[in-house]
Structures are given as structure tokens and as C-alpha cells.
Amino acid sequence: MTAGIDPATARADIDLSALGANLRTLAAHAAPAQLMLVVKADAYGHGMLRCAAAARAAGVAWLGVATPAEALALREDGDTGLLLAWLYGVDEDLAPLVAADVDVSVQSADQVSRLVAAAAVTERRARVHLKVDTGLSRNGAASSDWPELFAAAAEAEETGAVEVVAVWSHLAAADEPGHPATAVQVEAFDRAWAAARAAGLRPRLQHLANSAGALVAPRTRYDLVRVGVAAYGVEPAPGLAGMAGIELRPVMTLRATLANVKEIPAGAGVSYGWAWTAPARTTVGLVPLGYADGIPRHAGNRAEVGLDGTRVPVRGRICMDQFVVELGADSTYEPGAEVLVFGPGDDGEPTAADWADWCDTIGYEIVTRIGPRVPRRYLGQRE
Ligand SMILES: Cc1ncc(COP(=O)(O)O)c(C=O)c1O
């Protein structure tokens, strides 16, 4: 356990009812495709176990994670539903996954063999999703390797060691509607499906779409959409929820109380390197969160935070544990006043999307990077 920050000083509020509402909205939008909530990376910083439980309560059939350890943590927590893990190293033992009834992604004949060995050790049938590369050039079998992968999977299925549940792939650019990659990938994915069937496989599922695909690229939805960021109320790219005709509500609100307030004279340099100097006498407040907590250092002199229904600017560089905001010459704020770093925007505070814009990144990174020192408080669901 990380020795963290006192929740009265700073915390991330996680609105599980917003998560549930987003999931229901997305499920209705993507229907008849089923929904998988992607809860890797601690549910994009929102807390994997609580978000997973909330998703199951909202009727989500599938959960998806990257690593075996994430999948096993869910099982240890009592999750028994459909669960897929897709990223592991060359030396990782797959037997614990098979033993825990976790679906495993494989992308090569070698990985099929490893899964067959895991099935033998556990005396269970391994459930496998065959990952094909359709144009991301990241994970997944290259099209030249599809025949070998499908043949190995068909042989393993024949022996009863594995059940091939799905053929799947991942999109490269669905967050840019009209990008040619999406049509290219759909066409390649259909070819992979035909090749799998020609090899004698009869998987029940095809899945390709991420949030962006689920939102605005209907042809990518197939049987199941793997939704991450949108479920947490952050658009994959600005405007995509509107384009899909739905509303999503940000699930995380990052808040802190000012640890210090003081007046500084004209000419005072603020924070490391004096990257900002007060042009006139003013008051500054100290926010007790820093880049160790996931506040991007890039946000120095760019970002704003919400205070009492208005915005105040970040001044100077973001430090490891703290940053400075300008409250104005006539400020009457005292230490203990609450600032909203980001949230849904209800009180005029910035959103994660605003921070992404200020920091030249994507909303995904803003929420996912909020670190383990920041306590999470869960709202909107009975204990
Ligand atoms: C394989 C895979 N599927 C689905 C997702 C979910 O993506 P998004 O958060 O854009 O919905 C991810 C996340 O990066 C992923 O790696």
C-alpha cells in the first residue's frame, strides 16, 4: 500500500453512478453488440475493483484487462464473469489464468502451444481469443501468419485443450472519423474471419471496436465492443460523444484544499526556475498535488483549476508534490479553500479534456496518470 495523501487534503472522487449511467448509455448505443468494460491500468486510474463491481452491477457481461496480474486480482476479489487478458511476456505462466477461467488472447502458434501446456497443467480447457493485426502494427498476428495461427488453434481445439471463443483486433484511428485506416481494418478483419472459418474454426465472437469505434464507427462493432475511456466519461477525442448523439459524464473529480495562501509582492518569482514572476502584488494558493501524483509538469503556466465557480490560473512550474495558483490581489480565500483540478465541469471547473488540451495530450493520459498517493473516494453506490 502506498503511503498516500490525507483524503481531506486531496482526493479523487469516483462517481460510480456516472460510470453506471455511461455504461448503460454505451450499451444502448452499441446494441446489439455486447459491451466489454476495459478496466486495465486500475480502470484508467479510477480503481479497478470498484469499477469492475459497478460494471457488473450495471449488467456489463465482459471485462477486459491487459495483464494477467490484473485479471487474477479481479478473480481474487470475487469476480466470476467473462474476462479477457491480452498482454503478457514471453516467460509468463498462463496456467493461473486458465485455472481462474480467464479468457486469454493469443497471437502466434507459439502462444497457442503455451496455452495448450497451461490447459494440460490445470486440466482445464483454455478459452482463447485469436488476435490478428489489421493495421495497427502493434499486437496481433500479421496477415502472413494467420494461416499458421489458425491451423495451430484448430489443432489445439480438436484435442480439446482450447476453445476458440473469438477472433479480435484493435483499431488505429477510429477517433478520427473518416480516417482511411478504419475501413482498411474492417476489410482486413473480415478477411481474417473468413480465413479462420476456412481453417475450420467456428468462434462465436468477433470484436474490433474501442470507445471511438463504438461511438462513431458502426461497422466496427461486430459482436462486442471493448469500451474504456468513454465509460469513464472522457471522450476519445473532442466531440465524438456529440457526434454519436449521446452524453457521457466524467466519472473522476480531482479535488484538493489549499495548503497555504499568501500575498506576494510585484516581481516575486514563483516556483522552480521562476518560470512566472508576479507582475504586481497578488495572492497565491498552494495546491498539495504534484507531478508525483500525476499532475502533468507540462501544465505549468498553462492550466487552470476551479475555485468557487470560477477558474484561477496555475502559476510557475508544477513541482513533485505541489503547485501554485494565483488567487488575485484582493483574494479573501484562506487555507482550506477547495479547488477542483478537474471534474465534470458542473461548477465551471476544467475537465480532463481541458487538461489534455493544455498539456498537448489526450484525456486518457490525464485520468490514468493520477497516482497511487491520491486517495479515491467512491460515490454513488451503496457500500
Ligand atoms: C486492446 C484494447 N481494446 C480496447 C481498449 C479500450 O480503448 P478505449 O479506451 O479507447 O475505449 C484498449 C485501450 O487502450 C485496448 O488496448
Side-chain angles (χ1 to χ4, degrees):
M1 231 195 91
T2 308
I5 301 171
D6 186 316
T9 300
R11 64 173 187 269
D13 284 343
I14 307 299
D15 182 354
L16 294 174
S17 58
L19 176 64
N22 293 339
L23 287 167
R24 282 185 286 274
T25 300
L26 290 162
H29 185 68
Q34 281 188 293
L35 201 68
M36 173 187 288
L37 176 62
V38 179
V39 293
K40 63 180 179 163
D42 205 23
Y44 293 37
H46 294 70
M48 181 176 72
L49 299 180
R50 294 299 298 264
C51 290
R56 295 299 195 197
V60 171
W62 283 88
L63 295 177
V65 293
T67 73
E70 291 172 326
L72 296 176
L74 284 164
R75 288 299 190 236
E76 242 165 68
D77 192 55
D79 185 87
T80 55
L82 293 164
L83 170 60
L84 172 65
W86 57 67
L87 189 62
Y88 46 87
V90 291
D91 291 326
E92 288 190 57
D93 181 10
L94 303 180
L97 292 177
V98 178
D101 215 11
V102 176
D103 290 26
V104 181
S105 171
V106 305
Q107 56 164 335
S108 65
D110 175 57
Q111 288 186 344
V112 172
S113 308
R114 287 171 62 191
L115 208 56
V116 167
V121 168
T122 56
E123 297 182 359
R124 297 181 73 117
R125 203 159 187 226
R127 290 168 51 91
V128 30
H129 296 224
L130 301 175
K131 178 90 185 265
V132 291
D133 185 4
T134 54
L136 187 59
S137 303
R138 200 176 73 172
N139 222 330
S143 58
S144 54
D145 295 329
W146 293 348
E148 192 191 353
L149 172 65
F150 296 148
E155 194 184 318
E157 194 165 53
E158 192 118 333
T159 67
V162 308
E163 176 191 351
V164 177
V165 176
V167 173
W168 77 296
S169 189
H170 193 43
L171 292 169
D175 57 332
E176 295 176 45
H179 193 292
T182 304
V184 167
Q185 289 195 267
V186 165
E187 190 273 327
F189 194 51
D190 289 341
R191 263 192 294 118
W193 180 251
R197 290 185 60 84
L201 296 168
R202 294 290 178 270
R204 278 179 282 122
L205 298 174
Q206 280 181 281
H207 53 100
L208 175 63
N210 53 5
S211 289
L215 287 172
V216 296
R219 282 202 63 204
T220 66
R221 289 183 196 140
Y222 294 90
D223 304 304
L224 174 68
V225 296
R226 303 183 310 273
V227 166
V229 81
Y232 304 108
V234 178
E235 292 180 302
L240 288 200
M243 210 175 283
I246 63 169
E247 276 184 36
L248 298 169
R249 181 167 173 79
V251 172
M252 183 188 293
T253 298
L254 184 62
R255 52 177 84 230
T257 49
L258 294 177
N260 191 15
V261 173
K262 67 181 158 204
E263 202 177 280
I264 57 170
V270 170
S271 192
Y272 290 127
W274 287 359
W276 189 78
T277 303
R281 176 186 67 82
T282 190
T283 306
V284 290
L286 187 68
V287 180
L289 288 168
Y291 61 76
D293 306 302
I295 305 297
R297 191 168 174 280
H298 220 59
N301 276 338
R302 294 176 183 215
E304 299 169 348
V305 299
L307 174 67
D308 234 357
T310 62
R311 300 265 190 103
V312 293
V314 173
R315 297 301 194 200
R317 292 194 181 136
I318 305 284
C319 310
M320 188 182 293
D321 317 297
Q322 48 198 293
F323 65 92
V324 174
V325 293
E326 185 182 10
L327 304 173
D330 304 321
S331 164
T332 55
Y333 289 103
E334 303 270 355
E338 186 177 67
V339 298
L340 299 179
V341 180
F342 60 79
D346 295 347
D347 294 318
E349 78 276 13
T351 60
D354 292 325
W355 277 79
D357 192 32
W358 290 321
C359 299
D360 227 352
T361 184
I362 50 178
Y364 295 71
E365 193 185 1
I366 299 299
V367 291
T368 303
R369 62 187 292 152
I370 300 307
R373 281 206 312 199
V374 180
R376 271 63 171 175
R377 185 179 69 164
Y378 292 91
L379 310 171
Q381 226 185 32
R382 269 180 273 127
E383 290 298 318

